[in-house]
Coordinates of all heavy atoms in Angstrom, one line a residue:
A908 N -21.3 71.8 -9.6 CA -22.6 72.4 -9.4 C -22.7 73.6 -10.3 O -21.7 74.3 -10.5 CB -22.8 72.8 -8.0
F909 N -23.9 73.8 -10.9 CA -24.0 74.9 -11.9 C -25.1 75.9 -11.3 O -26.3 75.7 -11.4 CB -24.5 74.4 -13.2 CG -23.5 73.5 -13.9 CD1 -23.6 72.1 -13.7 CD2 -22.4 74.0 -14.5 CE1 -22.7 71.3 -14.3 CE2 -21.4 73.1 -15.1 CZ -21.6 71.8 -15.0
V910 N -24.6 76.9 -10.6 CA -25.4 77.9 -9.9 C -26.0 78.8 -11.0 O -25.2 79.5 -11.6 CB -24.7 78.6 -8.8 CG1 -25.6 79.7 -8.2 CG2 -24.3 77.6 -7.7
V911 N -27.3 78.9 -11.1 CA -27.9 79.8 -12.1 C -28.7 80.9 -11.5 O -29.2 81.8 -12.3 CB -28.8 78.9 -13.0 CG1 -28.0 77.9 -13.8 CG2 -29.9 78.2 -12.2
D912 N -28.8 81.0 -10.2 CA -29.5 82.1 -9.6 C -29.1 82.2 -8.1 O -28.9 81.2 -7.4 CB -31.0 81.9 -9.7 CG -31.8 83.0 -9.1 OD1 -31.9 84.1 -9.8 OD2 -32.3 82.9 -8.0
I913 N -28.8 83.5 -7.7 CA -28.6 83.8 -6.3 C -29.5 85.0 -6.0 O -29.6 86.0 -6.7 CB -27.1 84.2 -6.0 CG1 -26.2 83.0 -6.3 CG2 -26.9 84.6 -4.6 CD1 -24.7 83.3 -6.1
A914 N -30.3 84.9 -4.9 CA -31.2 85.9 -4.6 C -31.2 86.2 -3.1 O -30.9 85.3 -2.2 CB -32.6 85.5 -5.0
I915 N -31.5 87.5 -2.8 CA -31.8 87.9 -1.4 C -33.3 87.9 -1.2 O -34.0 88.5 -1.9 CB -31.2 89.3 -1.1 CG1 -29.6 89.3 -1.3 CG2 -31.5 89.7 0.3 CD1 -29.0 90.6 -1.1
L916 N -33.7 87.2 -0.1 CA -35.2 87.1 0.1 C -35.5 87.8 1.4 O -34.7 87.7 2.4 CB -35.6 85.6 0.2 CG -35.1 84.7 -0.9 CD1 -35.5 83.2 -0.6 CD2 -35.7 85.1 -2.3
D917 N -36.7 88.4 1.5 CA -37.1 89.0 2.7 C -37.8 88.0 3.6 O -37.8 86.8 3.3 CB -38.0 90.2 2.5 CG -39.3 89.8 1.8 OD1 -39.7 88.6 1.8 OD2 -40.0 90.7 1.2
G918 N -38.3 88.4 4.8 CA -38.9 87.5 5.7 C -40.0 86.7 5.2 O -40.4 85.6 5.7
A919 N -40.7 87.3 4.2 CA -41.9 86.6 3.6 C -41.5 85.7 2.4 O -42.3 85.1 1.8 CB -42.9 87.6 3.1
G920 N -40.2 85.6 2.2 CA -39.7 84.8 1.1 C -39.7 85.5 -0.3 O -39.6 84.8 -1.3
K921 N -39.9 86.8 -0.3 CA -40.0 87.5 -1.6 C -38.6 88.0 -2.0 O -37.9 88.6 -1.1 CB -41.0 88.7 -1.4 CG -41.1 89.6 -2.6 CD -42.1 90.8 -2.4 CE -42.1 91.6 -3.6 NZ -43.0 92.8 -3.4
P922 N -38.2 87.8 -3.2 CA -36.9 88.3 -3.6 C -36.9 89.8 -3.6 O -37.8 90.5 -4.1 CB -36.8 87.8 -5.1 CG -37.8 86.6 -5.1 CD -38.9 87.0 -4.2
V923 N -35.8 90.4 -3.0 CA -35.6 91.8 -3.1 C -34.4 92.2 -3.9 O -34.3 93.4 -4.3 CB -35.4 92.4 -1.6 CG1 -36.6 92.1 -0.8 CG2 -34.2 91.7 -1.0
H924 N -33.6 91.3 -4.2 CA -32.5 91.5 -5.2 C -32.0 90.1 -5.6 O -32.0 89.1 -4.9 CB -31.4 92.3 -4.6 CG -30.5 92.9 -5.7 ND1 -30.8 94.0 -6.4 CD2 -29.3 92.4 -6.2 CE1 -29.8 94.3 -7.3 NE2 -28.9 93.3 -7.2
G925 N -31.5 90.0 -6.9 CA -31.0 88.8 -7.4 C -30.0 88.9 -8.5 O -29.9 90.0 -9.1
W926 N -29.3 87.8 -8.7 CA -28.4 87.7 -9.8 C -28.7 86.4 -10.6 O -28.7 85.3 -10.1 CB -26.9 87.6 -9.3 CG -26.5 88.8 -8.5 CD1 -25.7 89.8 -9.0 CD2 -26.8 89.1 -7.1 NE1 -25.5 90.7 -8.0 CE2 -26.1 90.3 -6.8 CE3 -27.5 88.4 -6.1 CZ2 -26.2 90.9 -5.6 CZ3 -27.6 89.0 -4.9 CH2 -26.9 90.2 -4.6
D927 N -29.1 86.6 -11.9 CA -29.5 85.5 -12.7 C -28.3 84.8 -13.3 O -27.1 85.2 -13.1 CB -30.5 85.9 -13.8 CG -30.0 87.0 -14.7 OD1 -28.8 87.2 -14.7 OD2 -30.8 87.5 -15.4
A928 N -28.5 83.8 -14.2 CA -27.4 83.1 -14.8 C -26.5 84.0 -15.6 O -25.3 83.8 -15.6 CB -28.0 82.0 -15.6
R929 N -27.1 84.9 -16.3 CA -26.3 85.8 -17.1 C -25.3 86.7 -16.2 O -24.2 86.9 -16.6 CB -27.1 86.7 -18.0 CG -26.4 87.7 -18.9 CD -27.3 88.5 -19.8 NE -27.9 87.6 -20.7 CZ -28.8 88.0 -21.7 NH1 -29.1 89.3 -21.8 NH2 -29.3 87.2 -22.5
A930 N -25.9 87.2 -15.2 CA -25.1 88.1 -14.3 C -24.0 87.2 -13.6 O -22.8 87.7 -13.5 CB -26.0 88.7 -13.2
L931 N -24.3 86.0 -13.2 CA -23.2 85.2 -12.6 C -22.2 84.8 -13.6 O -21.0 84.7 -13.3 CB -23.9 83.9 -12.0 CG -24.9 84.2 -10.8 CD1 -25.6 82.9 -10.4 CD2 -24.1 84.8 -9.6
A932 N -22.6 84.5 -14.8 CA -21.6 84.1 -15.9 C -20.7 85.3 -16.2 O -19.6 85.1 -16.8 CB -22.3 83.6 -17.1
S933 N -21.1 86.5 -15.9 CA -20.4 87.7 -16.3 C -19.5 88.2 -15.1 O -18.9 89.3 -15.3 CB -21.3 88.8 -16.7 OG -22.1 88.4 -17.8
L934 N -19.5 87.5 -14.0 CA -18.7 88.0 -12.9 C -17.2 88.1 -13.3 O -16.6 87.2 -13.9 CB -18.8 87.1 -11.7 CG -20.1 87.1 -10.9 CD1 -20.1 86.0 -9.8 CD2 -20.2 88.5 -10.2
P935 N -16.5 89.2 -12.9 CA -15.1 89.2 -13.2 C -14.3 88.3 -12.3 O -14.8 87.9 -11.2 CB -14.8 90.7 -12.9 CG -15.8 91.1 -11.9 CD -17.0 90.4 -12.2
A936 N -13.1 88.0 -12.7 CA -12.2 87.1 -11.8 C -12.0 87.8 -10.5 O -11.8 87.0 -9.5 CB -10.9 86.9 -12.6
S937 N -11.9 89.1 -10.4 CA -11.6 89.7 -9.1 C -12.8 89.6 -8.1 O -12.6 89.8 -6.9 CB -11.4 91.2 -9.4 OG -12.6 91.8 -10.0
A938 N -13.9 89.1 -8.6 CA -15.1 88.9 -7.7 C -15.0 87.6 -6.9 O -15.8 87.3 -6.1 CB -16.4 89.1 -8.4
I939 N -14.1 86.7 -7.3 CA -14.0 85.4 -6.8 C -12.6 85.1 -6.2 O -11.6 85.2 -6.9 CB -14.3 84.3 -7.9 CG1 -15.7 84.6 -8.5 CG2 -14.3 82.9 -7.3 CD1 -16.0 83.7 -9.7
T940 N -12.6 84.8 -4.9 CA -11.3 84.4 -4.3 C -11.4 82.9 -3.9 O -12.1 82.5 -3.0 CB -11.1 85.2 -3.0 OG1 -11.0 86.6 -3.4 CG2 -9.7 84.9 -2.4
N941 N -10.6 82.1 -4.6 CA -10.6 80.7 -4.4 C -9.6 80.3 -3.3 O -8.5 80.9 -3.2 CB -10.3 79.9 -5.7 CG -11.4 79.9 -6.6 OD1 -12.4 79.2 -6.4 ND2 -11.3 80.7 -7.7
H942 N -9.9 79.2 -2.5 CA -9.1 78.8 -1.4 C -8.3 77.5 -1.8 O -7.3 77.3 -1.2 CB -10.0 78.5 -0.2 CG -10.6 79.6 0.4 ND1 -10.3 80.2 1.6 CD2 -11.6 80.5 -0.1 CE1 -11.0 81.2 1.9 NE2 -11.8 81.4 0.9
Y943 N -8.7 76.8 -2.8 CA -8.1 75.5 -3.1 C -7.7 75.4 -4.6 O -7.9 76.3 -5.4 CB -9.1 74.4 -2.8 CG -9.3 74.2 -1.3 CD1 -10.6 73.9 -0.8 CD2 -8.3 74.3 -0.3 CE1 -10.9 73.7 0.5 CE2 -8.6 74.1 1.0 CZ -9.8 73.8 1.5 OH -10.1 73.6 2.8
L944 N -7.2 74.2 -4.9 CA -6.7 73.9 -6.2 C -7.8 74.0 -7.3 O -7.7 74.6 -8.3 CB -6.0 72.6 -6.2 CG -5.3 72.1 -7.5 CD1 -4.1 73.0 -7.8 CD2 -4.9 70.7 -7.5
V945 N -8.9 73.3 -7.0 CA -10.1 73.4 -7.9 C -10.8 74.7 -7.6 O -11.0 75.1 -6.5 CB -11.0 72.2 -7.8 CG1 -10.3 70.9 -8.2 CG2 -11.6 72.0 -6.4
K946 N -11.3 75.3 -8.7 CA -11.7 76.7 -8.5 C -13.1 76.9 -9.0 O -13.6 76.4 -10.0 CB -10.8 77.6 -9.4 CG -9.3 77.5 -9.0 CD -8.4 78.5 -9.7 CE -6.9 78.2 -9.4 NZ -6.7 78.2 -8.0
V947 N -13.8 77.8 -8.2 CA -15.1 78.3 -8.6 C -14.8 79.3 -9.7 O -13.9 80.1 -9.6 CB -15.8 79.0 -7.4 CG1 -17.1 79.7 -7.8 CG2 -16.1 78.0 -6.3
R948 N -15.6 79.3 -10.7 CA -15.4 80.2 -11.9 C -16.7 80.4 -12.6 O -17.7 79.6 -12.6 CB -14.4 79.5 -12.8 CG -14.9 78.2 -13.3 CD -13.9 77.5 -14.3 NE -14.3 76.2 -14.7 CZ -15.2 75.9 -15.6 NH1 -15.9 76.9 -16.2 NH2 -15.6 74.7 -15.8
P949 N -16.8 81.6 -13.3 CA -18.0 81.8 -14.1 C -17.9 80.9 -15.3 O -16.9 80.6 -15.9 CB -17.8 83.3 -14.6 CG -16.8 83.9 -13.7 CD -15.9 82.7 -13.2
G950 N -19.1 80.3 -15.7 CA -19.2 79.5 -16.9 C -20.1 80.1 -17.9 O -20.7 81.2 -17.6
P951 N -20.4 79.5 -19.0 CA -21.2 80.1 -20.0 C -22.7 80.2 -19.5 O -23.4 81.0 -20.1 CB -21.1 79.1 -21.2 CG -20.6 77.8 -20.6 CD -19.8 78.2 -19.4
H952 N -23.1 79.4 -18.5 CA -24.5 79.4 -18.1 C -24.7 79.7 -16.6 O -25.7 79.3 -16.0 CB -25.2 78.1 -18.5 CG -25.0 77.8 -19.9 ND1 -25.6 78.5 -21.0 CD2 -24.3 76.8 -20.5 CE1 -25.2 77.9 -22.1 NE2 -24.5 76.9 -21.9
G953 N -23.7 80.3 -16.0 CA -23.8 80.6 -14.6 C -22.5 80.5 -13.9 O -21.4 80.7 -14.5
L954 N -22.5 80.1 -12.6 CA -21.4 79.9 -11.8 C -21.1 78.5 -11.5 O -22.0 77.7 -11.1 CB -21.6 80.6 -10.4 CG -20.4 81.0 -9.6 CD1 -19.5 82.0 -10.3 CD2 -20.8 81.6 -8.2

Side-chain angles (χ1 to χ4, degrees):
F909 300 96
V910 174
V911 294
D912 183 75
I913 297 178
I915 298 176
L916 312 176
D917 63 18
K921 179 181 177 181
V923 297
H924 196 82
W926 297 262
D927 60 14
R929 179 175 295 182
L931 295 173
S933 302
L934 284 176
S937 59
I939 303 172
T940 302
N941 284 286
H942 294 248
Y943 290 141
L944 184 68
V945 296
K946 303 185 185 305
V947 175
R948 57 180 174 79
H952 307 293
L954 199 61

